[in-house]
Amino acid sequence: MGAGLSGIVASENSSSTSSSSPGLGDVPENCISSILTHLDPPQICKLAMLNRTFHGASTADFVWEIKLPLNYEYLVKKILDENPQNLCKKEIYAKLCLANRFDNGTKEAWLEKSSGKLCLAVSTKALKITGIDDRRYWNHIPTEESRFHTVAYLQQIWWFEVIGEFEFQFPPGTYCLFFRLQLGKASKRFGRRVCNLEQVHGWNIKPVRFQVSTSNGQQSISECYLSQPGNWVHYHAGDFVVENPLTPMKIKFSVMQIDCTHTKGGLCVDSVLIYPSEFRERLKEF
């Protein structure tokens, strides 16, 4: 396919010396559209800049519909709060690739641009946190290090428990759920990032427990010690599989350390991330 396109481009470049030579403008638009269906979205957008014919071919609905998740109509209504019938498929794809807030700004969803896979983030404002309203234990701290611009900071508590639950229609696939946590409280001093670890304690005595369960009976439980003070860490809580994109799935997840023989503190809770399993390694880069 690459060689074929190169030949067409070469013909276009030589058209200035031979007016009878075929150029890109001579290729039927529907043929170009068929070729574009085999490319990923970034490649389609690059080729759309070649000329008017390629640009017109790149806007065909059938080119983009196969790139969209099977339940894209639900996503448009749920995430964008728009009628999918009023948007062309290319516009739908472009809008869904943006980081879109929904549920009163407590959740954010977007499509990965190259694959069209759905990713989702849940802020602490959408989670049930034991003692969150008592300032002796918890505080909400504004920060540029969170996509939601605020994190929940635990000063000290005996019973640590964070629970989340919501219903959503996920596209088919296997998903990984992560808690984004950090030991210590980060801030800026003279333009440099510093992290206060004075209140970090209790996490090396007993591990925290992560749980993930779904309304169709899937469940996973894991335990680990929190580590890497001063750094954001994505702790893998569990996986779940979606087979039917048209059936809503209720997902429940939690992280807890409820051994009341000791206190624990100095922890920032940022968000919960749900990623397609093939993107799991990417989270190690952040």
Side-chain angles (χ1 to χ4, degrees):
M1 182 185 301
L5 287 175
S6 299
I8 294 174
V9 173
S11 297
E12 177 74 3
N13 293 335
S14 65
S15 63
S16 59
T17 59
S18 177
S19 59
S20 61
S21 299
L24 288 175
D26 298 313
V27 181
E29 192 172 291
N30 61 335
C31 291
I32 296 176
S33 295
S34 297
I35 294 174
L36 296 181
T37 60
H38 298 282
L39 306 179
D40 63 38
Q43 292 173 322
I44 295 173
C45 293
K46 287 181 180 179
L47 287 176
M49 295 186 291
L50 283 177
N51 60 25
R52 291 181 180 179
T53 304
F54 268 74
H55 180 269
S58 71
T59 62
D61 272 354
F62 74 87
V63 171
W64 293 96
E65 187 161 18
I66 61 175
K67 309 298 180 185
L68 288 165
L70 292 177
N71 63 340
Y72 71 88
E73 292 187 350
Y74 164 81
L75 298 177
V76 171
K77 296 175 183 177
K78 177 70 174 179
I79 299 172
L80 302 180
D81 193 24
E82 295 190 47
N83 186 343
Q85 304 303 321
N86 297 334
L87 303 170
C88 68
K89 300 302 186 291
K90 182 179 181 180
E91 187 177 7
I92 290 175
Y93 194 94
K95 287 191 172 187
L96 288 177
C97 283
L98 300 176
N100 298 284
R101 295 278 177 90
F102 64 104
D103 282 357
N104 297 318
T106 62
K107 299 181 182 68
E108 192 171 275
W110 65 97
L111 299 184
E112 198 278 329
K113 292 181 180 179
S114 295
S115 65
K117 298 287 187 178
L118 178 73
C119 304
L120 195 146
V122 182
S123 79
T124 54
K125 297 294 182 69
L127 305 178
K128 181 181 179 182
I129 303 176
T130 301
I132 189 64
D133 295 324
D134 193 327
R135 293 296 170 260
R136 294 175 300 172
Y137 306 130
W138 291 90
N139 283 303
H140 287 290
I141 301 175
T143 174
E144 296 177 356
E145 296 185 0
S146 169
R147 67 172 59 247
F148 295 101
H149 307 297
T150 183
V151 299
Y153 178 68
L154 172 64
Q155 300 177 90
Q156 179 174 288
I157 205 167
W158 294 89
W159 185 289
F160 169 68
E161 185 175 34
V162 179
I163 300 174
E165 183 177 8
F166 69 97
E167 189 174 77
F168 199 80
Q169 289 181 214
F170 290 90
T174 301
Y175 293 85
C176 300
L177 188 145
F178 301 85
F179 279 85
R180 188 172 188 259
L181 310 174
Q182 176 185 257
L183 292 175
K185 180 168 58 175
S187 61
K188 288 280 186 71
R189 184 177 300 171
F190 302 113
R192 298 183 61 184
R193 184 184 190 271
V194 294
C195 196
N196 188 334
L197 305 178
E198 291 181 0
Q199 293 182 310
V200 176
H201 71 282
W203 304 107
N204 60 338
I205 300 176
K206 292 286 183 67
V208 298
R209 170 173 288 193
F210 297 97
Q211 296 187 63
V212 178
S213 61
T214 65
S215 54
N216 63 353
Q218 301 179 66
Q219 185 172 13
S220 61
I221 300 175
S222 61
E223 292 185 345
C224 77
Y225 288 91
L226 303 188
S227 59
Q228 301 183 45
N231 297 293
W232 288 105
V233 180
H234 294 93
Y235 292 93
H236 181 221
D239 300 341
F240 61 94
V241 178
V242 176
E243 296 180 348
N244 187 348
L246 303 180
T247 301
M249 174 181 286
K250 182 174 290 186
I251 178 171
K252 186 174 182 179
F253 44 89
S254 64
V255 55
M256 63 183 68
Q257 215 286 29
I258 55 177
D259 184 339
C260 293
T261 60
H262 66 282
T263 63
K264 62 282 294 180
L267 176 70
C268 281
V269 180
D270 173 35
S271 59
V272 170
L273 297 173
I274 299 176
Y275 271 50
S277 59
E278 55 263 44
F279 297 161
R280 181 175 176 176
E281 293 300 315
R282 296 188 185 185
L283 291 181
K284 296 180 180 180
E285 301 174 3
F286 297 96

